[in-house]
Amino acid sequence: MTGPDTVTRSMPTAPHALRTETQRPLPPELTELLRTGPFESALRTAIRASRLSLERIQHRLRARGTPVSITALSYWQSGRRRPERPDSLLALHQLENVLGLPDGALSALLGPPRPRGRTRQAANQAPPLSTLWSPDGSTVELLNRVDTSPDGKLTRLSQHDVVHVDAAGEQRKARVRQLVRAECNGADRWVMVFDGASSNDTPTVIRPVRSCHLGQVLTDHTRDLVVAELLFDHALERGETIMLEYEVVEPPAGPQHEEHTYCRLFRLPVRQYVLEMQFDPAHPPESCESFVTDPSGRAVETPTSLALDRHGRTHTVKLDFGLGVFGVRWTPSEPATQHCPANDPLTTASAVTSSLAAR
């Protein structure tokens, strides 16, 4: 599966033994700042409400395995600097716990990373969406029938894909969770593109789960291609965030299907992307690796081998990623034809999920 915002590699976690600070009722001023930002004002108010000194906060962060200097904390709350490196983002997550805030309350206010060098590309400099596909292909034709102009008005804060793979090594479904923030009033939808690999006439199913419902759904059955509008429950105001979830369930791939790949194409940067794979623990793949390419498919990083736990799970994380493609590919331990129940909805191997935002 592919989408215009993401890639992955494993990220360390803080020690599990340390407890999370009890969340207290937040002052109205802090509640409002956590909704609208800016980041530095919300952090400054949260620190004041916690009644903890910077020295005490530093001590608690160090005990959690995510040390941060007092100077850095001071810079963060003054707005002179923001946490952007992977270790700083991990520390920020622990800082939310130390201050008794909900998970993601502060990180949601950060927005996309600030440009650094030639590899960073601002949203207004990103290539037009239509240029990511062949101009004479059906993808562009379908996209031209929906409003994709406000795509850059939603900041991609985090995305978590959970891909379920059956005993035959075929995808059954992908569950997607996205946290986005409106940069202007009126954003009311997300447009996604799914480019599958099924040769079955049964259509791919897009199933809204949380905070959204289906609008237009356009399909090209010859390509197993779907362009769908996910309409928010209400239009967002500037600074408002929304967590939406949906599932993509595809019919069985054809007997000639040989690719076993899930990937996302990102046109605009995403602060954090987590790609989690759930394999049948009794039939793990022979191999599994993550990979990164540019939009044309040219490899830009050495593939990374992924290890599975005893439950058949593995994951990879990418921070501040885009423009590019990130995904996972695997080699099934058994031929895919050995396990294909007649009514078993398999999700594609090679899907492209292009993420857009419309008003």
Side-chain angles (χ1 to χ4, degrees), residues 1 173-178 188-192 204-217 226-233 242-249:
M1 181 153 174
K173 69 177 180 180
R175 187 169 184 130
V176 179
R177 174 184 294 179
Q178 294 172 280
D188 67 353
R189 74 195 65 193
W190 183 269
V191 178
M192 54 84 58
T204 295
V205 176
I206 310 299
R207 183 180 301 153
V209 176
R210 173 180 175 181
S211 301
C212 61
H213 57 279
L214 282 177
Q216 290 190 83
V217 179
V226 180
V227 173
E229 293 178 315
L230 296 168
L231 305 178
F232 302 158
D233 291 341
I242 184 171
M243 178 79 76
L244 62 148
E245 294 184 49
Y246 60 92
E247 291 183 342
V248 180
V249 181

Coordinates of all heavy atoms in Angstrom, one line a residue, residues 1 173-178 188-192 204-217 226-233 242-249:
M1 N 0.9 -1.2 0.0 CA 0.0 0.0 0.0 C 0.9 1.2 0.0 O 1.9 1.3 0.7 CB -0.8 0.0 1.3 CG -1.8 1.1 1.4 SD -3.1 0.6 2.4 CE -4.0 2.1 2.5
K173 N -5.9 -7.1 5.0 CA -6.5 -5.7 5.1 C -5.4 -4.8 5.7 O -4.4 -5.3 6.2 CB -7.7 -5.7 6.0 CG -7.4 -5.9 7.5 CD -8.7 -5.8 8.3 CE -8.4 -6.0 9.8 NZ -9.6 -5.9 10.6
A174 N -5.6 -3.6 5.5 CA -4.7 -2.5 6.1 C -5.6 -1.6 6.9 O -6.6 -1.1 6.4 CB -3.9 -1.8 5.0
R175 N -5.2 -1.4 8.1 CA -6.0 -0.4 9.0 C -5.1 0.8 9.1 O -3.9 0.7 9.5 CB -6.3 -1.0 10.3 CG -7.2 0.0 11.2 CD -7.8 -0.7 12.4 NE -8.7 0.1 13.1 CZ -9.9 -0.2 13.5 NH1 -10.4 -1.4 13.2 NH2 -10.7 0.6 14.2
V176 N -5.6 2.0 8.8 CA -4.9 3.2 8.8 C -5.4 4.2 9.9 O -6.6 4.4 10.0 CB -5.0 3.9 7.4 CG1 -4.2 5.2 7.4 CG2 -4.5 2.9 6.3
R177 N -4.5 4.8 10.6 CA -4.8 5.8 11.6 C -3.9 7.0 11.3 O -2.7 6.9 11.2 CB -4.6 5.4 13.0 CG -4.8 6.5 14.1 CD -4.4 6.0 15.5 NE -5.3 5.0 15.9 CZ -5.2 4.4 17.1 NH1 -4.3 4.7 17.9 NH2 -6.1 3.5 17.5
Q178 N -4.6 8.2 11.1 CA -3.8 9.4 10.7 C -4.2 10.6 11.6 O -5.4 10.8 11.9 CB -4.2 9.8 9.3 CG -3.6 8.8 8.2 CD -4.1 9.2 6.9 OE1 -5.3 8.8 6.5 NE2 -3.3 9.8 6.0
D188 N -12.3 19.8 5.4 CA -13.3 18.8 5.8 C -13.2 17.5 5.2 O -14.1 16.7 5.3 CB -14.7 19.4 5.4 CG -14.9 19.5 3.9 OD1 -14.0 19.2 3.1 OD2 -16.0 19.8 3.5
R189 N -12.0 17.2 4.5 CA -11.9 15.8 4.0 C -10.5 15.4 3.7 O -9.6 16.3 3.7 CB -12.7 15.7 2.7 CG -12.1 16.4 1.5 CD -13.0 16.6 0.3 NE -14.1 17.5 0.8 CZ -15.3 17.6 0.1 NH1 -15.5 16.9 -1.0 NH2 -16.2 18.4 0.5
W190 N -10.3 14.2 3.5 CA -9.0 13.6 3.1 C -9.3 12.7 1.9 O -10.2 11.9 1.9 CB -8.4 12.7 4.3 CG -7.1 12.1 4.0 CD1 -6.8 10.9 3.5 CD2 -5.9 12.7 4.3 NE1 -5.5 10.7 3.5 CE2 -4.8 11.8 4.0 CE3 -5.5 14.0 4.9 CZ2 -3.5 12.1 4.2 CZ3 -4.1 14.2 5.1 CH2 -3.2 13.3 4.7
V191 N -8.5 12.9 0.8 CA -8.7 12.1 -0.4 C -7.5 11.0 -0.4 O -6.4 11.4 -0.3 CB -8.7 12.9 -1.6 CG1 -8.8 12.1 -2.9 CG2 -9.8 14.0 -1.6
M192 N -7.9 9.8 -0.6 CA -6.9 8.7 -0.6 C -7.0 8.0 -1.9 O -8.0 7.9 -2.6 CB -7.0 7.8 0.6 CG -8.4 7.1 0.8 SD -8.7 5.6 -0.2 CE -7.4 4.6 0.3
T204 N -12.4 -3.3 -4.3 CA -11.7 -3.0 -3.0 C -12.7 -2.3 -2.2 O -13.5 -1.4 -2.6 CB -10.5 -2.2 -3.3 OG1 -9.5 -3.0 -4.0 CG2 -9.8 -1.8 -2.0
V205 N -12.7 -2.6 -0.9 CA -13.6 -1.9 0.1 C -12.8 -0.9 0.9 O -11.8 -1.3 1.5 CB -14.3 -3.0 1.0 CG1 -15.1 -2.3 2.1 CG2 -15.1 -4.0 0.2
I206 N -13.3 0.3 1.0 CA -12.8 1.3 1.8 C -13.8 1.5 3.0 O -15.0 1.8 2.7 CB -12.6 2.7 1.1 CG1 -11.9 2.5 -0.2 CG2 -11.9 3.7 2.0 CD1 -10.5 1.9 0.0
R207 N -13.4 1.2 4.2 CA -14.3 1.2 5.3 C -13.9 2.2 6.4 O -13.0 2.1 7.1 CB -14.3 -0.2 5.9 CG -15.2 -0.5 7.1 CD -15.1 -1.9 7.6 NE -15.3 -2.9 6.5 CZ -14.8 -4.1 6.5 NH1 -13.9 -4.5 7.4 NH2 -15.1 -4.9 5.5
P208 N -14.7 3.3 6.5 CA -14.4 4.3 7.5 C -14.6 3.7 8.9 O -15.5 2.9 9.1 CB -15.5 5.4 7.2 CG -15.9 5.2 5.8 CD -15.8 3.7 5.6
V209 N -13.7 4.1 9.8 CA -13.8 3.5 11.2 C -14.0 4.6 12.2 O -14.8 4.5 13.1 CB -12.5 2.8 11.5 CG1 -12.5 2.3 13.0 CG2 -12.3 1.6 10.6
R210 N -13.3 5.8 12.0 CA -13.4 6.8 13.1 C -13.3 8.2 12.5 O -12.5 8.5 11.6 CB -12.3 6.6 14.1 CG -12.1 7.7 15.1 CD -10.9 7.4 16.0 NE -10.6 8.4 17.0 CZ -9.7 8.4 17.9 NH1 -8.9 7.4 18.0 NH2 -9.5 9.4 18.7
S211 N -14.2 9.1 12.9 CA -14.2 10.5 12.6 C -14.3 10.8 11.1 O -13.8 11.9 10.7 CB -12.9 11.2 13.1 OG -12.8 11.0 14.5
C212 N -14.8 9.9 10.3 CA -14.9 10.2 8.9 C -16.0 9.3 8.3 O -16.4 8.3 8.9 CB -13.6 10.0 8.1 SG -12.9 8.4 8.2
H213 N -16.5 9.7 7.1 CA -17.4 8.8 6.3 C -17.2 9.0 4.9 O -16.5 10.0 4.5 CB -18.9 9.2 6.7 CG -19.3 10.6 6.4 ND1 -19.0 11.6 7.3 CD2 -19.9 11.2 5.4 CE1 -19.4 12.8 6.8 NE2 -20.0 12.6 5.7
L214 N -17.6 8.1 4.0 CA -17.3 8.1 2.6 C -18.0 9.2 1.9 O -19.2 9.4 2.1 CB -17.6 6.7 2.0 CG -16.6 5.6 2.3 CD1 -17.1 4.3 1.6 CD2 -15.2 6.0 1.7
G215 N -17.3 9.9 1.0 CA -17.9 10.7 0.0 C -17.9 10.1 -1.3 O -18.4 8.9 -1.5
Q216 N -17.3 10.7 -2.4 CA -17.2 10.0 -3.7 C -16.2 8.9 -3.6 O -15.2 9.0 -2.9 CB -16.6 11.0 -4.7 CG -17.6 12.1 -5.1 CD -17.1 12.9 -6.3 OE1 -17.2 12.5 -7.4 NE2 -16.4 14.0 -6.0
V217 N -16.5 7.8 -4.3 CA -15.6 6.6 -4.4 C -15.6 6.3 -5.9 O -16.6 5.9 -6.5 CB -16.1 5.4 -3.6 CG1 -15.2 4.2 -3.8 CG2 -16.3 5.7 -2.1
V226 N -8.6 2.7 -6.7 CA -9.7 3.4 -6.0 C -9.3 4.8 -5.6 O -8.2 4.9 -5.0 CB -10.2 2.6 -4.8 CG1 -11.4 3.4 -4.1 CG2 -10.6 1.2 -5.2
V227 N -10.1 5.8 -5.9 CA -9.9 7.1 -5.3 C -11.1 7.4 -4.5 O -12.2 7.4 -5.0 CB -9.7 8.2 -6.5 CG1 -9.7 9.6 -5.9 CG2 -8.5 8.0 -7.3
A228 N -10.9 7.7 -3.2 CA -12.0 7.9 -2.3 C -11.9 9.1 -1.5 O -10.8 9.5 -1.0 CB -12.2 6.7 -1.4
E229 N -13.0 9.8 -1.2 CA -13.1 11.0 -0.3 C -13.5 10.5 1.1 O -14.5 9.8 1.2 CB -14.1 12.0 -0.8 CG -13.7 12.7 -2.1 CD -14.8 13.7 -2.5 OE1 -16.0 13.3 -2.4 OE2 -14.5 14.8 -2.9
L230 N -12.7 10.8 2.1 CA -13.0 10.5 3.5 C -13.4 11.9 4.1 O -12.6 12.7 4.4 CB -11.9 9.9 4.2 CG -11.4 8.5 3.7 CD1 -10.1 8.1 4.3 CD2 -12.5 7.5 4.0
L231 N -14.7 12.0 4.3 CA -15.3 13.3 4.8 C -15.3 13.3 6.3 O -15.7 12.4 6.9 CB -16.7 13.5 4.2 CG -16.9 13.4 2.7 CD1 -18.4 13.6 2.4 CD2 -16.0 14.5 2.0
F232 N -14.7 14.4 6.8 CA -14.7 14.6 8.3 C -16.1 14.8 8.8 O -17.0 15.2 8.1 CB -13.8 15.7 8.7 CG -12.4 15.7 8.2 CD1 -11.6 16.8 8.1 CD2 -11.8 14.4 7.8 CE1 -10.3 16.8 7.6 CE2 -10.5 14.4 7.3 CZ -9.7 15.5 7.2
D233 N -16.2 14.5 10.1 CA -17.6 14.7 10.8 C -17.9 16.1 10.8 O -19.1 16.5 10.9 CB -17.5 14.0 12.2 CG -17.5 12.5 12.1 OD1 -17.7 11.9 11.0 OD2 -17.1 11.9 13.1
I242 N -7.4 16.3 14.0 CA -8.4 15.3 13.9 C -7.7 13.9 13.7 O -6.7 13.9 13.0 CB -9.4 15.5 12.7 CG1 -10.5 14.4 12.7 CG2 -8.6 15.5 11.4 CD1 -11.6 14.7 11.7
M243 N -8.1 12.9 14.4 CA -7.6 11.6 14.3 C -8.6 10.8 13.5 O -9.8 10.5 14.0 CB -7.4 10.9 15.6 CG -6.9 9.5 15.6 SD -5.1 9.4 15.3 CE -4.5 9.9 16.9
L244 N -8.3 10.4 12.3 CA -9.2 9.6 11.5 C -8.7 8.2 11.3 O -7.4 8.0 11.2 CB -9.5 10.2 10.2 CG -8.4 10.5 9.1 CD1 -9.0 10.4 7.7 CD2 -7.8 11.9 9.4
E245 N -9.5 7.2 11.1 CA -9.2 5.8 10.9 C -10.0 5.3 9.8 O -11.2 5.6 9.7 CB -9.3 5.0 12.2 CG -8.4 5.3 13.3 CD -8.5 4.4 14.5 OE1 -8.5 3.2 14.3 OE2 -8.7 4.9 15.6
Y246 N -9.4 4.4 9.0 CA -10.2 3.7 8.0 C -9.5 2.4 7.6 O -8.3 2.2 8.0 CB -10.4 4.5 6.7 CG -9.1 5.0 6.1 CD1 -8.5 4.3 5.0 CD2 -8.5 6.2 6.4 CE1 -7.4 4.7 4.4 CE2 -7.4 6.6 5.8 CZ -6.8 5.9 4.8 OH -5.6 6.3 4.2
E247 N -10.2 1.5 7.0 CA -9.6 0.2 6.6 C -9.7 0.0 5.1 O -10.6 0.6 4.4 CB -10.3 -1.0 7.2 CG -10.1 -1.1 8.7 CD -10.8 -2.3 9.3 OE1 -11.7 -2.9 8.7 OE2 -10.4 -2.7 10.4
V248 N -8.7 -0.6 4.5 CA -8.7 -1.0 3.1 C -8.7 -2.5 3.0 O -7.8 -3.1 3.4 CB -7.5 -0.4 2.3 CG1 -7.6 -0.8 0.9 CG2 -7.5 1.1 2.5
V249 N -9.8 -3.1 2.5 CA -9.9 -4.5 2.3 C -10.0 -4.9 0.8 O -10.9 -4.4 0.2 CB -11.1 -5.1 3.1 CG1 -11.1 -6.6 3.0 CG2 -11.0 -4.7 4.6

